[in-house]
Amino acid sequence: MGITVVRIWAFNDDVDIWNWNTLQTAPGIYQEYVFKALDYVIAKAGEYDIKLMLTFTDYWGAYGGMEQYVQWDNQYGSDGNASRNIYDFYTDSDIRGWFKNHISTVLNRTNTITGIKYKDDPTIFSWEIANEPRGLGTQEGKMGYYNWVKEMTGHIKSIDPKHMVSIGSEGFYDKEPGSSDFKWNGSKAMDFIRDNQLDSVDFATVHIWPEPWRMAYEESMAWLQEHISDANNILRKPLGVEEFG
């Protein structure tokens, strides 16, 4: 089909409805046969000269993701602070440690087929810390989210300075605090410009879902153009339009 870059998940966490082929069954506990399946995907992509973007977790819970880490915190947490909701993913010390360990495990894995460490594999186009991470729009929530982005992207770079890193966010702004439009008012904690200005972020991302976001065609095109303009003129970084529908 002429595809050159594919974005895939580098996780599958144990949740009741999706616990088949689970990669990580508990913090730091992996099923080797599932990891070998990921080895195979990377090896085959290399054969066909396809580059892969690998994502470490997901805000949405279909394959575990952030929600599963929060559940694990209530099972295995050692800091005495049981998590109350998904937004604790960004600030809880146990969860941050487990997630950094997962990142380290993936980066340092040696592919059982090619013999190449993931962090050294030219088949990998980039790393992405999460799919559509969202936080709370309070000042504390915004800072927790920003500090998490800074910590996790920096952690990746400390292990693998060769590959590019992105956030994986939908690209919401914090330009209009009083607006009722969640895409602009900072209510999801992120700020497209602030977050992507980090030195540890190599390119920005944006998603566009006109129907669920109730956007007309003209507004959708304006949304993309805003990001293109900001990426060119402010961030001075490339922009990846990762999802659209």
Side-chain angles (χ1 to χ4, degrees):
M1 295 176 66
I3 293 171
T4 57
V5 180
V6 177
R7 179 168 167 255
I8 67 172
W9 292 168
F11 69 95
N12 184 15
D13 307 309
D14 186 14
V15 289
D16 291 340
I17 61 172
W18 286 109
N19 61 8
W20 47 272
N21 292 334
T22 294
L23 176 61
Q24 190 175 197
T25 60
I29 306 299
Y30 295 88
Q31 298 199 95
E32 178 63 15
Y33 85 94
V34 183
F35 240 142
K36 285 183 176 179
L38 185 57
D39 292 345
Y40 177 81
V41 170
I42 295 172
K44 293 302 289 186
E47 287 182 25
Y48 288 94
D49 200 26
I50 294 172
K51 305 301 182 184
L52 300 175
M53 302 174 66
L54 270 68
T55 305
F56 289 113
T57 192
D58 196 348
Y59 174 79
W60 311 103
Y63 294 92
M66 296 182 186
E67 291 183 9
Q68 184 57 54
Y69 280 89
V70 169
Q71 292 182 35
W72 282 337
D73 189 47
N74 292 323
Q75 289 179 264
Y76 308 113
S78 61
D79 61 10
N81 298 313
S83 291
R84 299 177 303 281
N85 57 55
I86 191 172
Y87 302 114
D88 291 330
F89 179 86
Y90 303 110
T91 56
D92 182 88
S93 59
D94 282 325
I95 294 175
R96 293 204 322 275
W98 293 333
F99 186 54
K100 288 173 75 174
N101 179 67
H102 174 61
I103 291 172
S104 300
T105 299
V106 174
L107 293 177
N108 287 309
R109 179 173 176 81
T110 299
N111 191 309
T112 56
I113 298 171
T114 66
I116 302 172
K117 285 186 178 292
Y118 282 24
K119 65 181 180 181
D120 297 326
D121 197 329
T123 299
I124 293 171
F125 179 82
S126 65
W127 304 109
E128 185 169 272
I129 54 174
N131 175 56
E132 298 188 342
R134 296 182 178 187
L136 288 173
T138 63
Q139 192 59 34
E140 182 180 6
K142 292 177 182 179
M143 287 309 302
Y145 175 90
Y146 175 76
N147 290 333
W148 173 82
V149 170
K150 184 177 182 180
E151 179 180 9
M152 298 309 161
T153 55
H155 179 62
I156 296 171
K157 287 292 189 181
S158 71
I159 299 172
D160 176 8
K162 302 174 185 177
H163 285 97
M164 294 185 293
V165 175
S166 66
I167 299 170
S169 73
E170 294 148 290
F172 301 147
Y173 286 97
D174 195 2
K175 285 186 174 183
E176 302 175 8
S179 170
S180 60
D181 190 336
F182 69 93
K183 298 186 297 299
W184 300 92
N185 64 15
S187 63
K188 304 303 181 185
M190 70 191 73
D191 184 337
F192 176 76
I193 294 173
R194 177 201 66 188
D195 303 337
N196 286 295
Q197 282 180 322
L198 286 166
D199 290 339
S200 50
V201 176
D202 296 294
F203 64 94
T205 62
V206 61
H207 297 183
I208 173 66
W209 290 100
E211 289 184 359
W213 293 355
R214 301 184 183 280
M215 299 169 73
Y217 174 78
E218 292 78 10
E219 185 184 1
S220 301
M221 293 300 99
W223 169 257
L224 290 179
Q225 189 56 57
E226 184 89 15
H227 287 79
I228 293 169
S229 176
D230 286 342
N232 282 334
N233 300 322
I234 300 176
L235 299 176
R236 312 286 298 175
K237 295 180 181 181
L239 175 68
V241 183
E242 293 186 322
E243 295 189 16
F244 46 91

